[in-house]
Amino acid sequence: MDSCRRLLLCALFLLPLAPGLVLAGANAPARIDEDEIQVRRQGETWTVEAQFVVPVPPSVAWEVLTDFDNMTAILTNLSSSRVLSRQGQVLQVEQKGRARFGIFSFAFESLREITLTPRRRIQARGLAGNTRQFESDMVLAPLDGGTRFSYRVAMVPDFWLPSLLGPSLLQHELAEQFNAMAAEMEKRFAVR
């Protein structure tokens, strides 16, 4: 139970700062598959990288990505998400929730400093939570008919994450959360 809990904590701290998905077809809903998420480990550091496209303009993608106060309506594992402070384009965001994996369930929380470059980039740095080090970078680029996302995170968890099982579980959990974010982007775009 402890190793499942630790794996899920690792996956949960990667989001909700990473949305988006690959186009399944011209008008099909976006969908990212687990194998499109690259997970590597070097020493204690885990790195996740992904590039994908969502068929919405950058303005809609940005609206969803930065809707921290309403993130609980987008990601069902969150019970609380709020901006604690804002100084210009630098925010402190606290999130709490409960992860579920099969019969296992546990609470998690994080505090991040987020630096925004409107409609182009979101950089996050962990201040507290279940990682000793956390840094992520999400870059948005407009495309004809959509937005391309380039996401990278490097983290050192404060718990053991097994090398063999870790990548598969991270890919699975992140794909679920990416798909939830993309669905919200597409929903908001459809009502405009």
Side-chain angles (χ1 to χ4, degrees):
M1 179 168 156
D2 197 41
S3 64
C4 281
R5 176 179 178 220
R6 289 176 176 161
L7 287 170
L8 283 171
L9 277 172
C10 185
L12 293 168
F13 283 104
L14 299 178
L15 276 181
L17 301 175
L21 309 172
V22 174
L23 287 172
N27 295 314
R31 175 101 182 126
I32 192 167
D33 294 318
E34 294 173 21
D35 60 358
E36 295 174 276
I37 301 168
Q38 319 272 311
V39 180
R40 289 184 296 283
R41 180 181 178 190
Q42 185 172 20
E44 293 184 309
T45 303
W46 288 82
T47 304
V48 177
E49 294 181 347
Q51 290 192 1
F52 34 83
V53 174
V54 180
V56 300
S59 59
V60 174
W62 186 261
E63 177 186 304
V64 172
L65 286 174
T66 59
D67 194 4
F68 299 111
D69 288 326
N70 295 306
M71 198 61 67
T72 59
I74 301 168
L75 299 176
T76 59
N77 66 332
L78 290 179
S79 59
S80 171
S81 179
R82 62 188 179 125
V83 176
L84 298 179
S85 69
R86 179 187 283 264
Q87 294 183 324
Q89 297 299 321
V90 179
L91 294 73
Q92 282 195 4
V93 176
E94 177 189 68
Q95 294 178 325
K96 298 178 183 180
R98 178 159 294 279
R100 290 173 180 81
F101 184 69
I103 62 170
F104 304 108
S105 174
F106 60 91
F108 66 89
E109 58 184 72
S110 72
L111 175 63
R112 295 187 186 137
E113 178 182 86
I114 298 173
T115 303
L116 305 174
T117 304
R119 295 188 181 167
R120 292 197 325 248
R121 189 175 204 177
I122 300 172
Q123 296 169 289
R125 180 174 63 91
L127 301 176
N130 293 80
T131 58
R132 286 182 282 160
Q133 178 184 346
F134 178 94
E135 293 183 6
S136 69
D137 190 22
M138 172 68 79
V139 177
L140 289 74
L143 296 175
D144 285 340
T147 301
R148 176 178 301 282
F149 299 84
S150 298
Y151 177 71
R152 183 175 195 281
V153 64
M155 65 172 206
V156 177
D158 69 354
F159 50 85
W160 176 73
L161 186 60
S163 296
L164 294 177
L165 183 57
S168 295
L169 183 57
L170 290 174
Q171 288 170 322
H172 173 76
E173 292 301 312
L174 290 173
E176 282 189 7
Q177 293 181 26
F178 286 160
N179 284 316
M181 297 289 285
E184 180 66 18
M185 290 175 192
E186 292 174 330
K187 176 180 155 189
R188 292 187 191 190
F189 182 58
V191 297
R192 291 189 177 208

